[in-house]
Amino acid sequence: MADVGQEEDFEAAKAKALKIGAEKVYIEDLRREFIEELCYPAVQCNAVYEHVYLLGTSLARPVIARSQIQVAQKEGCIAVSHGCTGKGNDQVRFELAYYALQPTIKVIAPWRLPEFYDRFAGRNDLLEYAAKAGIPVSSTKAKPWSMDENLAHCSYEAGILEEPDVTPPEDMWKLTIDPIKAPDTPQDFTLTFQKGLPVKLEYIEEGKKKVATDSVDLFLTMNAIARKHGVGRIDIVENRFIGLKSRGCYETPGLTCLRSAHIDLEGLVLDREVRALRDQFVTFNYAKILYNGLYFSPEREFLEGSIVASQQSVNGEVRCRVYKGSFSVLGRSSATEKLYDASESSMDEIGSFAPSDTTGFISVQAIRLKKYGARKAELGEKM
């Protein structure tokens, strides 16, 4: 079992596994590598799928698959298995990872075996079987949606959620408080970044100033603050890699704050053209690679090199606020990066940038537009 930060009784899970036939159970703490190797690079490049999904499930799969293969190699296994459905993305993510990590491995995927899915068409059939066999499960027929939780998020799909116009029931959400019921007082905190990585979180708790610098502690603390104030809920219909559309609900509290603060700081310290190239090429493709399960690939290695190169100047602090489901920035600063010059930008002083310099800039930019306008006029076309 992979501990990627989900709130689970691992000893109870171990006992359950042994009871239903497992000979040995490994429980591997993968939280640190999950944060530092997957979540933090995603923050650095502002990774997002289809403009809204922060890839919480996708991010966890590589470290889980890698640990699974390591255990298989240690135990001399010739095959591994997963419980992913035959219609989802996770079967692709796990299996592509398995084959990259150990090309000779065999994969057993029950949900794709006719003898399995002819007997168990869906979760309701499995719930009935579990009840008859005395196997304890968290899902019920009253709450039949599936959940996937880790340190970055919790996802919900299937069941009543398959109707895209059905509002998720309030008792579905596990991590975050309903924004309407969140505290009436906002909470402020400061995030410090070095080369695009979150390295310090400063906040007030019970009237005392506290600081988190360890990656796991920082992430857990950011989660706790965001969860308390209802930050990070989304409800979307997305395009799965295999070609189907899927409705999913997600809670991504801490990662939402880290990514949003990082985006804001880049506005202050990152070169315009570097940012544009990164946004157009790296951000989109890195998210696509993660979503499609191609983490263990040469293209991912290439893009991560680009991410690191783009983040050399992303150093500074962002003062933030969470309040009733919202995240906002109160201010940002950098002691080392000097791209922003208040004197040059000011409307109240001349500074080192003479307004007359803009005349030539506009004249050059206008050359082709004048020709475009003249051509339109010659053709009698409206503009």
Side-chain angles (χ1 to χ4, degrees):
M1 290 187 64
D3 178 0
V4 284
Q6 68 271 39
E7 295 174 353
E8 184 168 354
D9 185 339
F10 289 100
E11 287 306 312
K14 180 178 180 180
K16 175 182 173 181
L18 293 170
K19 184 179 179 181
I20 61 177
E23 293 185 1
K24 189 183 293 187
V25 178
Y26 286 79
I27 298 175
E28 303 293 321
D29 186 351
L30 308 178
R31 294 177 300 166
R32 186 171 302 279
E33 62 189 87
F34 175 44
I35 293 169
E36 295 178 357
E37 296 182 33
L38 275 298
C39 293
Y40 275 7
V43 170
Q44 285 181 299
C45 75
N46 307 321
V48 62
Y49 182 73
E50 295 188 340
H51 307 292
V52 284
Y53 175 43
L54 299 190
L55 300 155
T57 300
S58 315
L59 289 165
R61 296 317 185 220
V63 294
I64 296 172
R66 182 168 60 195
S67 183
Q68 194 175 354
I69 289 295
Q70 288 169 349
V71 169
Q73 291 171 339
K74 182 177 180 180
E75 292 292 329
C77 300
I78 62 169
V80 292
S81 183
H82 61 75
C84 307
T85 72
K87 292 185 177 181
N89 293 310
D90 278 339
Q91 58 181 335
V92 180
R93 294 166 181 156
F94 277 118
E95 293 185 39
L96 292 181
Y98 297 153
Y99 291 131
L101 293 163
Q102 186 172 325
T104 59
I105 199 72
K106 296 183 183 300
V107 178
I108 301 171
W111 273 98
R112 297 206 305 268
L113 299 176
E115 56 267 39
F116 183 90
Y117 63 71
D118 285 342
R119 182 178 179 186
F120 303 109
R123 287 184 172 85
N124 283 333
D125 292 338
L126 288 172
L127 288 171
E128 288 181 4
Y129 176 81
K132 291 177 182 177
I135 302 171
V137 293
S138 58
S139 294
T140 66
K141 288 192 175 182
K143 300 178 180 180
W145 49 79
S146 68
M147 298 168 54
D148 180 78
E149 182 187 356
N150 58 50
L151 200 65
H153 89 159
C154 188
S155 66
Y156 312 85
E157 62 179 12
I160 62 172
L161 302 177
E162 290 178 349
E163 171 50 60
D165 199 30
V166 168
T167 302
E170 186 51 43
D171 64 351
M172 180 194 76
W173 304 101
K174 178 183 178 182
L175 301 183
T176 58
I177 191 171
D178 183 343
I180 297 174
K181 299 175 183 176
D184 293 328
T185 302
Q187 183 164 355
D188 298 346
F189 54 91
T190 300
L191 282 164
T192 300
F193 292 85
Q194 287 182 4
K195 296 184 177 180
L197 296 170
V199 295
K200 184 165 64 173
L201 168 60
E202 301 170 86
Y203 61 104
I204 303 295
E205 185 175 271
E206 297 180 350
K208 296 181 180 179
K209 182 177 179 180
K210 294 195 173 184
V211 178
T213 55
D214 174 77
S215 61
V216 176
D217 184 30
L218 189 155
F219 210 103
L220 286 170
T221 304
M222 191 69 267
N223 265 342
I225 292 172
R227 289 173 66 170
K228 178 182 176 182
H229 292 269
V231 174
R233 292 186 181 185
I234 64 168
D235 177 352
I236 63 172
V237 175
E238 66 199 72
N239 290 292
R240 288 178 176 168
F241 185 27
I242 64 170
L244 302 174
K245 284 188 179 291
S246 170
R247 194 267 188 94
C249 299
Y250 303 97
E251 294 176 284
T252 317
L255 188 59
T256 294
C257 296
L258 294 175
R259 179 179 180 272
S260 297
H262 176 265
I263 289 172
D264 183 85
L265 180 61
E266 285 190 328
L268 180 72
V269 301
L270 190 58
D271 177 82
R272 180 184 72 179
E273 297 304 318
V274 171
R275 188 177 193 181
L277 286 170
R278 193 279 317 277
D279 287 349
Q280 294 165 27
F281 183 73
V282 179
T283 299
F284 172 81
N285 284 290
Y286 192 71
K288 182 179 177 182
I289 284 169
L290 287 170
Y291 189 84
N292 292 349
L294 295 165
Y295 181 81
F296 296 105
S297 66
E299 58 267 36
R300 189 271 306 173
E301 288 189 354
F302 166 71
L303 287 178
E304 282 200 355
S306 301
I307 292 171
V308 172
S310 75
Q311 296 295 291
Q312 298 305 302
S313 66
V314 185
N315 307 299
E317 297 181 350
V318 184
R319 293 186 298 108
C320 312
R321 170 173 290 171
V322 286
Y323 179 63
K324 290 191 177 297
S326 69
F327 168 91
S328 57
V329 171
L330 304 177
R332 75 288 293 161
S333 62
S334 176
T336 59
E337 310 308 317
K338 306 301 180 183
L339 282 180
Y340 180 84
D341 187 321
S343 175
E344 286 183 342
S345 301
S346 176
M347 299 297 182
D348 295 320
E349 61 178 289
I350 299 301
S352 61
F353 184 87
S356 57
D357 291 343
T358 310
T359 302
F361 175 79
I362 295 172
S363 296
V364 170
Q365 293 297 317
I367 292 173
R368 67 183 184 89
L369 297 181
K370 288 180 178 180
K371 295 182 181 299
Y372 169 73
R375 177 59 175 163
K376 285 286 188 178
E378 180 182 334
L379 296 172
E381 298 179 355
K382 287 185 177 182
M383 292 177 63

